[in-house]
Amino acid sequence: MINTLKYQSQAVAKPYFIAAIGLFVGQVLFGLIMGLQYVWGDFLFPEIPFNVARMVHTNLLIVWLLFGFMGAAYYLVPEESQRELHSPKLAIALFWVFLAAGVLTIIGYLSVPYATLAQITGNEFLPTMGREFLEQPTITKIGIVIVALGLLYNLAMTILPGRKTVVNVVLMTGLIGLAVFFLFSFYNPDNLVKDKYFWWWVVHLWVEGVWELILGSILAYVLIKTTGIDREVVDKWLYVIIAMSFITGIIGTGHHYFWIGTAEYWQPLGSIFSALEPIPFFMMTLLAFGAVGKRKRDHPNKATVLWALGTGVMSFLGAGVWGFLHTLAPVNYFTHGTQITAAHGHMAFYGAYVMIVITIISYAMPFLRGTGNAANRRAQFTEMWSFWLMTISMVFITLFLTGAGILQVWLQRFDDGQPFMVVQDKIAAFYWLREAAGVVFLIGLIVYIISFFVKSKEPAEA
Amino acid sequence: MSEIFSKSMARNIYFGGSAFFIFLFLGLTWHTVKVLPETDNSAALTEEVILGKKVWEDNNCIGCHTLLGEGAYFAPELGNVYKRFGNSTEAIKGFIKSRPVNGIPGRRSMPQFNLSEEELNAIAEFLKYSSEIDTSNWPPNIQG
C-alpha cells in the first residue's frame, strides 16, 4: 500500500520509468561512441562499426521514450478515469515482454553482424529490416505490436467505464495512432520510392503527428496538477494544439517527398504546411508559461514545473525553429541529408519527447516512491542542475552540428563541390566540440540519476 | 480565450480539421502512387535489383550512408554513386570488395561484408536503379 497514490494500480508505472532512464543512459553512451567515431574513424572498428552504434543509439531512444509514454499512460489514466487500472498484472507482464524484446534486440545488434541477425530471425519471410529506425528484427516488431495492443486494451477497459476527460481521450487517441501507424513498418515494397513514401507514415506521422497528442496530453495533465489551472481552459488549448498539429503536420509530411522520386507538387504543399508546423509547439509554450504565470497554487515540486516550461521552450526551438530552418524546398534542396538534419533531430527529440517524459517522471516519481508530492529540496536542486546541464549542452550540440552542416553544405553542395570525406575532414573541429558538449550532457544525465538518491538534510518530518 | 471561443468550438476544429486533412492526404497519396511510374524508374525493377535492395537492407547500409538524402550522415550519399563512379557497376563492386577487414588506422572505413559475386552484382544494379530515379534534380552536384 502506497499512501501517496490515489489509485494503487498507478504503481505499475514505476518499473516503466526506471527502465526508461536506464535505457536513456545506454542511448547517450552510444551517442558518445558515434560522436567519437566521427573524428576518430577506426574507434572500436571493426567490433562496433558506426552503423551498429547508430542503431543502438536511435533504437534505444525510441524504446525508452515508448517506456516513458506507457509509464505516463499507466500513471495518469487511472487518476483521470477515477478508477483502478483494468489489469495491473497485464501491465507488468507487458513490461517484461517489452524489456526482454528491447534488450535482446540490442544484444543481437552488438553480438552478430547485422546480416546474420537478419538471417537467424527469418527476415526473408517478411523482410522489414534494414530501414532507418526500423532496423529491429521482424519478430521484435511483432512483439512491439503485441505490447501496444495489450496497452491499448488495458487503457480502453479503464477509460470506457470511467470518467472521460479530454486528457485521457487525447492520450488514448495518440497511443492508438502510434500503434496504427507502426503497422506500416511491415510494408516494405520492392519499389524504393514507394518504400520511402510509406516509411514516412511511421516516422513522420509519429513524431510530427500522433506523438504530439501524447506530448500535449501529458503536458496538460502536469500543468493541471502543478498550477491548478482550470480544466476548461486547458481542454480548450489542448484541442486547438492538437488540431494545429494535424492541420499542419499531415500535409506537412510532404516536406519528406521533395527529392525521393514523388510528384513535384509536394514541394509547394510540403513547404507551406510544414512551415506552419511550429504553430502547435509555440502554442504549447504559451500554454505552459500562461498556466505557470497565472498559477492558482505553488506546487512544492519546482523541478517538475521547470521541466514543463523547458519542454515548451525547447520543443518550439528544436522541432519548430530548427525544423523551419530547412523545411522550405529551395533551402532543403541544399541541406537535405546533411548535418543540418542531425542538428534538428537532436534538439527536436530532446526538447519535445525526452523532456516531456522527464517531466512526467519528475512529477510522478515522488508519489510512486511514497515520499510525498515532491522530492526534498536538495534533491530538487540537484535535479534542476541536471536540467540546465542537459538542456544547455543539447543547445550546444545543436549549434555545433548546425555549424558543421552549414560548412558542409557550402563546401560540398555548391558549384562542383568537394568530395564528402574531404569536407568531413575540414569540419572535424565542429565534431570535436559536439563530442565535448555530449560529455557534458552525460554528466547532466548522471546528475539527474543522482538526484533520485539525494537525501534531505533537514530532520525527517513526522 | 473567453466564452466567445468555447470548448466545443475548439473540439470541432480538431475533429473537422483532422478529418479534412486526413482525407486530403489520402487523396494525394492515391494520386501520387498513381503517377509514380513516371518518375520512380520502376520499369528497371528486375529480379536482380530486387535482390540488391535485400542485400542493401540485410547489411544495414543506411546505418552509415544516405540514399536519396535519407539515412545516416557518416558516409557518402549513394543515390548517385553509380554516376559518381563514372556510370560503372564494376567500380562499385570493386570498391565494396576492396575494403580492409580491420579498417584503416585513424580513418573511417566501410566494413568488409564478404558479399558473394551474385550479391555484389545485385547491390551494384540496385544502386544503378536508384541513380536513375527522377529526384527533381537532387542532389545539387555529383558529390551528393
Side-chain angles (χ1 to χ4, degrees):
Chain A
M1 177 81 186
I2 304 168
N3 295 326
T4 47
L5 286 179
K6 208 164 175 188
Y7 298 94
Q8 289 305 306
S9 54
Q10 288 177 288
V12 299
K14 194 175 172 186
Y16 281 85
F17 289 153
I18 292 170
I21 296 168
L23 298 176
F24 186 16
V25 175
Q27 187 219 341
V28 173
L29 289 175
F30 276 85
L32 287 172
I33 290 174
M34 296 164 68
L36 206 49
Q37 287 175 334
Y38 257 94
V39 280
W40 178 0
D42 64 341
F43 179 64
L44 294 181
F45 191 91
E47 286 75 26
I48 305 179
F50 180 86
N51 70 309
V52 172
R54 186 176 196 262
M55 273 194 297
V56 175
H57 180 66
T58 58
N59 285 211
L60 278 177
L61 168 69
I62 298 166
V63 170
W64 87 255
L65 289 179
L66 292 178
F67 265 118
F69 292 164
M70 291 193 275
Y74 287 129
Y75 185 83
L76 70 81
V77 163
E79 216 176 283
E80 287 288 297
S81 310
Q82 294 181 335
R83 61 197 303 276
E84 294 286 353
L85 186 68
H86 174 66
S87 170
K89 278 201 184 115
L90 177 62
I92 293 297
L94 292 175
F95 167 79
W96 289 110
V97 171
F98 196 48
L99 188 65
V103 170
L104 286 174
T105 301
I106 300 298
I107 291 173
Y109 289 162
L110 290 170
S111 55
V112 294
Y114 190 72
T116 310
L117 185 66
Q119 202 186 3
I120 58 181
T121 57
N123 190 48
E124 61 204 290
F125 301 110
L126 179 56
T128 66
M129 292 173 71
R131 293 174 302 154
E132 194 185 4
F133 311 128
L134 304 181
E135 295 94 346
Q136 313 83 35
T138 303
I139 179 111
T140 304
K141 290 193 180 85
I142 294 169
I144 294 172
V145 172
I146 292 169
V147 170
L149 289 178
L151 167 87
L152 293 177
Y153 165 79
N154 214 350
L155 295 179
M157 295 300 283
T158 311
I159 294 173
L160 287 174
R163 182 177 70 147
K164 289 160 204 69
T165 65
V166 177
V167 168
N168 65 14
V169 171
V170 169
L171 178 67
M172 188 70 193
T173 314
L175 291 169
I176 291 171
L178 184 153
V180 167
F181 287 115
F182 185 69
L183 295 178
F184 284 92
S185 71
F186 293 94
Y187 179 60
N188 181 12
D190 296 326
N191 182 335
L192 181 67
V193 181
K194 215 182 266 182
D195 173 10
K196 283 176 174 291
Y197 187 93
F198 289 102
W199 176 82
W200 283 114
W201 285 37
V202 187
V203 178
H204 174 96
L205 292 177
W206 265 18
V207 298
E208 289 163 72
V210 291
W211 282 27
E212 287 181 45
L213 271 62
I214 301 169
L215 163 59
S217 57
I218 298 175
L219 185 63
Y221 170 82
V222 170
L223 290 174
I224 291 169
K225 295 289 165 182
T226 54
T227 69
I229 184 177
D230 276 351
R231 220 172 241 281
E232 278 292 304
V233 176
V234 174
D235 288 354
K236 227 187 286 186
W237 275 88
L238 186 53
Y239 271 132
V240 179
I241 287 169
I242 62 177
M244 289 316 295
S245 296
F246 280 164
I247 289 168
T248 63
I250 293 174
I251 304 298
T253 316
H255 66 180
H256 301 295
Y257 298 158
F258 296 161
W259 326 114
I260 62 165
T262 39
E264 291 201 338
Y265 54 69
W266 285 111
Q267 290 183 29
L269 273 180
S271 297
I272 292 164
F273 280 89
S274 66
L276 302 173
E277 278 186 45
I279 293 174
F281 289 103
F282 186 61
M283 294 186 67
M284 281 190 239
T285 317
L286 292 180
L287 170 63
F289 276 86
V292 173
K294 292 182 204 150
R295 64 187 176 277
K296 291 177 180 164
R297 60 166 170 263
D298 275 311
H299 197 277
N301 197 337
K302 302 271 183 276
T304 298
V305 176
L306 181 63
W307 284 110
L309 292 173
T311 304
V313 174
M314 295 302 291
S315 65
F316 172 64
L317 280 179
V321 177
W322 251 260
F324 177 77
L325 282 180
H326 60 141
T327 202
L328 301 175
V331 175
N332 192 257
Y333 182 69
F334 292 100
T335 60
H336 182 49
T338 64
Q339 295 299 325
I340 302 279
T341 319
H344 161 59
H346 278 82
M347 209 205 271
F349 261 100
Y350 176 74
Y353 300 116
V354 171
M355 290 184 88
I356 193 63
V357 169
I358 300 185
T359 302
I360 185 72
I361 293 177
S362 173
Y363 174 75
M365 263 307 187
F367 295 104
L368 289 167
R369 299 172 84 196
T371 49
N373 55 2
N376 67 68
R377 281 179 56 196
R378 286 181 71 228
Q380 282 195 50
F381 184 73
T382 314
E383 190 181 340
M384 288 195 236
W385 259 99
S386 79
F387 169 94
W388 290 110
L389 282 170
M390 284 196 275
T391 304
I392 292 174
S393 59
M394 184 51 81
V395 169
F396 277 99
I397 288 173
T398 306
L399 289 174
F400 293 139
L401 287 176
T402 306
I406 291 170
L407 264 177
Q408 184 188 8
V409 169
W410 177 252
L411 296 171
Q412 185 185 318
R413 290 271 168 87
F414 281 93
D415 302 323
D416 287 340
Q418 299 171 37
F420 179 89
M421 277 313 300
V422 172
V423 173
Q424 291 296 303
D425 283 340
K426 289 186 177 172
I427 61 182
F430 283 98
Y431 293 140
W432 277 114
L433 291 166
R434 180 268 300 266
E435 184 72 355
V439 172
V440 178
F441 190 95
L442 177 66
I443 293 169
L445 180 54
I446 293 168
V447 172
Y448 175 65
I449 293 168
I450 289 172
S451 76
F452 288 98
F453 303 100
V454 173
K455 300 264 187 298
S456 176
K457 271 188 175 163
E458 293 150 34
E461 289 167 48
Chain B
M1 288 190 281
S2 62
E3 283 75 36
I4 307 161
F5 186 70
S6 67
K7 187 165 139 184
S8 64
M9 285 164 79
R11 191 177 50 212
N12 291 343
I13 293 173
Y14 165 56
F15 284 130
S18 305
F20 177 80
F21 283 100
I22 286 169
F23 283 114
L24 179 61
F25 188 58
L26 289 175
L28 287 166
T29 295
W30 174 80
H31 181 263
T32 297
V33 171
K34 201 179 90 162
V35 299
L36 218 48
E38 295 170 20
T39 50
D40 69 2
N41 196 27
S42 52
L45 274 173
T46 60
E47 286 299 314
E48 200 171 30
V49 171
I50 291 168
L51 175 64
K53 184 166 184 277
K54 180 102 185 353
V55 174
W56 168 270
E57 289 166 359
D58 281 355
N59 291 284
N60 192 32
C61 306
I62 205 84
C64 291
H65 295 277
T66 47
L67 184 64
L68 308 186
E70 294 167 1
Y73 321 110
F74 189 70
E77 162 69 27
L78 294 186
N80 66 343
V81 70
Y82 171 73
K83 293 175 181 167
R84 193 161 60 242
F85 279 16
N87 296 320
S88 165
T89 50
E90 287 305 314
I92 294 174
K93 286 165 59 183
F95 185 89
I96 298 172
K97 269 196 281 194
S98 69
R99 294 298 88 199
V101 175
N102 289 314
I104 306 166
R107 307 276 309 162
R108 300 182 202 173
S109 175
M110 192 162 102
Q112 173 53 256
F113 289 104
N114 299 313
L115 301 180
S116 68
E117 199 60 28
E118 188 193 12
E119 290 170 323
L120 279 167
N121 284 325
I123 189 80
E125 286 300 322
F126 170 69
L127 291 172
K128 177 173 184 286
Y129 145 83
S130 305
S131 74
E132 287 161 358
I133 292 170
D134 178 356
T135 55
S136 305
N137 218 14
W138 192 90
N141 63 31
I142 199 69
Q143 305 297 355

